[in-house]
Amino acid sequence: MKVMGMKRAVAVALVGLVALAGCHSAKKENVQPPTPLSKDFKPTVQVTRLWRETIGDGAGDTGVRLRPAVVDGVLYADSADGKLVALDANTGKTIWSKSSRTHGWFGWGDKKRKDAFYAGGPAVSGDLLAVGTLDGHVYGVNAKDGSPRWEATLKSEVLASPVIVGDLVVVRTGDGRVYGLDTASGERRWVYDQSEVPLLSLRGNGPLLVANGVVFFGSDGGKLVALRLDNGEKLWEQNLASGEGRTEIERLDDADGSILLDGRTLYGAAYHGNLVAIDGPSGRPMWAHPFSTYASLATKGNALYAVDEDSQVWAFDKSSGTEMWKNDKLKYRWLTGPAVQGDYVVVGDIEGYVHWLQTGDGALAARERLSRHAIRAQPLVVGDVVYLEDVEGRIGAYRLGGAR
C-alpha cells in the first residue's frame, strides 16, 4: 500500500470506530461505546430479508467502504481479497464469479489480475464493469461474464467507485488526483492533479458525481470541486470546512461523503465543517449550516438526511438548511450514511444492525441484524429493496413489508 494509505490509516484510529472492524474496538480508551439498543423495542413496520450471501472476505481490515452496484437486475460486488461477482439481485444466486488470487505452486487464478486488492467499485454501464484496487490499478471487465478487457496503472490507491459516463471512466485516487480513462482501452485521456492532500485525513474517498458534463467531488482538504468532464479542467471550488484549529486533529476537515445534486443545487458536507447548498452552474453558496460528518448524505422530497460525527441522525429542510428533527438513539454506533427506502431512512451500524427511521419525525421503526460485523458503506436502495454489505463481505437484501 502507498505511503498515503498509511497516513489515512492513522487518521482512522484517531477519528474513531467508523473505520474500525468490529465492536471490540469500543473498549479502547477515549472512545465512546455504542449506545445500547432498547431490548423492548417494538417495530412499527415489517421488514423481510430476501437473501444473504458472502462475497470473499469483504473489505476486511482495509478500512474501505465496499458497496455493491445493481444494474438491470444484476448485483455486482467485489472484495479486498480479489473476488469479483455478479449475482441475481432478486435471489442472490451467482451468475458468475471470478477470483484474482493465485494459489500454491501452480498459480491458479487470474494471472491478468494477480492478487488484485479490489477497493474502488464496481461501476457498471452497458457491458463494461470498472473496478479499482488498493495498489493503484483500474480494471475494465466484461460485465456479462467477468472476462478481462484492459488494465490501467495509476499513481495511488483507488478507494472510491469509478464512474462510467459516455466514453470515459472517471476515477479518483488517494493522492487527490482525478483521471479520465478511455472506456475502450483504459488509456489516460486527462488527469487533474491540483488537489493538495493533508497529512491527516479520513480513510477513504467520497464517490464522484458526474452530471451535465461536470465532475463534482469533495476533497480531502474540505472543498467541493467542480471539473470539466471532457478535459479535467477545474471550473470552481468552494470550502465545506475552514481547516482551523490548534492541532492536526482539530484541523482534519475531510469531505469524505457523497455530493448530491437536486435540480441545479448541490449539497455537500465535511468533517469539522458545514452542511452546504451550492448553485451547481456557478458554484455560488446558497446556505451553510455548521455540521460535522464522515458519511454520505441522502435526500427525498423537501428533506436532506445526514449522520453527524457522533452518529446522530438528522433531517434538514433542503431550501434553507433548517433542522427538522434529530434522533440520538443510535449515538456512537458509528452509522453508515443514510439512504431512503420509501418513507424510511435506512442506516447500518458497527455491530451489524440495520435500522429504519421514519422520514417524518425520525422515530425508530424497524431493526434487523445482517451480521455481527460492522457495516460501513451507505445502504443501496434500488426500487423497493435495500442492499447492505458488512466488512466481512456479507450482503443482505431487504424489502419493507412481506416477501412477494
Side-chain angles (χ1 to χ4, degrees), residues 273-294:
N274 296 295
L275 177 67
V276 302
I278 293 175
D279 179 71
S282 66
R284 176 179 58 84
M286 300 171 65
W287 56 256
H289 183 96
F291 192 77
S292 179
T293 183
Y294 53 82

Side-chain angles (χ1 to χ4, degrees), residues 110-130:
D110 185 350
K111 294 183 179 180
K112 296 279 188 183
R113 291 171 282 157
K114 181 180 179 181
D115 294 331
F117 303 107
Y118 297 127
V124 178
S125 179
D127 62 355
L128 176 65
L129 180 153

Side-chain angles (χ1 to χ4, degrees), residues 325-363:
W325 54 255
K326 178 181 75 171
N327 185 311
D328 62 0
K329 303 299 183 183
L330 304 174
K331 198 171 183 180
Y332 306 127
R333 297 195 66 83
W334 307 113
L335 304 176
T336 66
V340 181
Q341 183 183 21
D343 294 327
Y344 299 89
V345 176
V346 190
V347 292
D349 75 15
I350 194 172
E351 294 179 335
Y353 286 98
V354 187
H355 307 271
W356 283 261
L357 297 78
Q358 296 179 12
T359 55
D361 59 8

